[in-house]
Amino acid sequence: HNLANSSWVYHNKVGYVFPQPTTLKISNKTESGNWKAINSSYSDDTVSADVFKMWIDHGTQPVEAKYEYIILPGKSLEEVRDYDSSNIQVLINSDSLQVVRNVSQNILSFVFYKAASYTNDDFRLKVNGACAMMLKDGNTSTVSAWISDPSQLRKDIAVRFKSTLLAHEKEIQLNLPAVPYAGSTLAFVIDENSENYIFVPTEEIKKKATDDTHVVNGSSAAANYGANPTLKKKKDNAGYNREV
């Protein structure tokens, strides 16, 4: 089915609200397949089930295409039909940063795709790497915050926060959860008791190369490759990382 200029869809006690009218494609039929197609450890027996699918067709090779929607789980048809989408405000939706505000709960949600900063009338937030983050009551002197690393690759991250209600800019150095909890959420508070940010100027150091080498992690971590005629640097799995 093609639904033109839709503002909401309701299915199985879940609502999908589109702040901007959106053309949707919907399929609701019996689908067949096997679980082995997505995971080799599962069975290749064919299974069938009724499947609801909904998607936005951006066409072939879209350029800077955008979309936004709000998911409302556990709602009635009437609640979805009457939902006030103005409570959820999309402030930034770019390829480097996404920011969404929940007005009634005074929460800002961020997805940083790289080290970046965000500024509004109340505060400036800066992170030194990709992460997902939420701030509650950012316009007060006690800010509740949550952060995670969906990539599960980072060991730590630094957050800097400067607001009109705090005397100094704050810097919070966070050690992120490790395996088996990598990627899970870490909660913290930003207030006057948080560490002050101290600017340390970078001193330029010049050294001449005497020996060129690269090192490998894993079982070859103790080896030195100084005699090699080439330098190798790459990010890979354990045992294959090379640093110059």
Side-chain angles (χ1 to χ4, degrees):
H1 305 281
N2 291 313
L3 298 183
N5 298 320
S6 301
S7 57
W8 59 270
V9 170
Y10 183 74
H11 174 261
N12 196 26
K13 298 182 181 180
V14 179
Y16 305 85
V17 175
F18 301 87
Q20 303 297 327
T22 303
T23 297
L24 306 167
K25 289 185 176 293
I26 290 180
S27 169
N28 193 20
K29 60 183 181 180
T30 302
E31 303 280 1
S32 298
N34 64 73
W35 290 107
K36 192 171 185 176
I38 61 172
N39 193 319
S40 59
S41 64
Y42 283 82
S43 170
D44 60 358
D45 293 339
T46 299
V47 294
S48 299
D50 293 337
V51 177
F52 171 80
K53 296 190 294 185
M54 178 170 63
W55 67 98
I56 300 171
D57 186 356
H58 289 295
T60 304
Q61 295 182 334
V63 178
E64 296 184 357
K66 296 182 179 180
Y67 62 91
E68 58 186 75
Y69 59 89
I70 304 165
I71 300 178
L72 305 175
K75 299 293 184 181
S76 68
L77 174 61
E78 291 72 22
E79 288 175 312
V80 173
R81 182 187 291 123
D82 300 333
Y83 182 76
D84 180 12
S85 62
S86 65
N87 182 58
I88 305 297
Q89 298 176 346
V90 178
L91 305 183
I92 299 176
N93 186 14
S94 71
D95 59 353
S96 59
L97 175 62
Q98 293 174 311
V99 185
V100 177
R101 171 189 287 145
N102 184 311
V103 178
S104 62
Q105 297 187 38
N106 198 20
I107 290 178
L108 280 170
S109 298
F110 305 85
V111 175
F112 290 95
Y113 292 96
K114 59 183 179 181
S117 61
Y118 167 79
T119 303
N120 62 22
D121 293 337
D122 299 311
F123 64 84
R124 182 179 73 241
L125 172 69
K126 186 174 184 178
V127 297
N128 68 344
C131 64
M133 190 172 180
M134 296 175 67
L135 291 182
K136 180 173 175 57
D137 301 329
N139 56 346
T140 69
S141 58
T142 302
V143 182
S144 298
W146 299 264
I147 196 168
S148 67
D149 169 30
S151 74
Q152 304 183 23
L153 297 175
R154 298 186 62 90
K155 294 181 179 180
D156 52 59
I157 196 163
V159 176
R160 283 166 53 186
F161 185 86
K162 181 175 177 60
S163 77
T164 56
L165 296 179
L166 297 177
H168 300 91
E169 182 173 8
K170 303 298 181 178
E171 181 175 47
I172 297 89
Q173 299 282 347
L174 298 166
N175 293 319
L176 296 172
V179 176
Y181 305 109
S184 59
T185 301
L186 189 67
F188 61 101
V189 173
I190 306 172
D191 57 17
E192 280 295 353
N193 295 320
S194 302
E195 292 289 333
N196 293 336
Y197 168 68
I198 300 175
F199 173 72
V200 179
T202 302
E203 178 185 356
E204 183 178 359
I205 301 175
K206 295 182 179 180
K207 290 186 176 180
K208 293 183 178 181
T210 57
D211 294 287
D212 299 330
T213 187
H214 67 264
V215 292
V216 184
N217 69 343
S219 59
S220 300
N224 188 302
Y225 296 86
N228 280 26
T230 59
L231 296 176
K232 298 180 180 181
K233 178 176 174 63
K234 69 174 182 174
K235 185 70 173 176
D236 207 324
N237 294 320
Y240 297 93
N241 287 318
R242 283 156 171 78
E243 297 291 344
V244 172

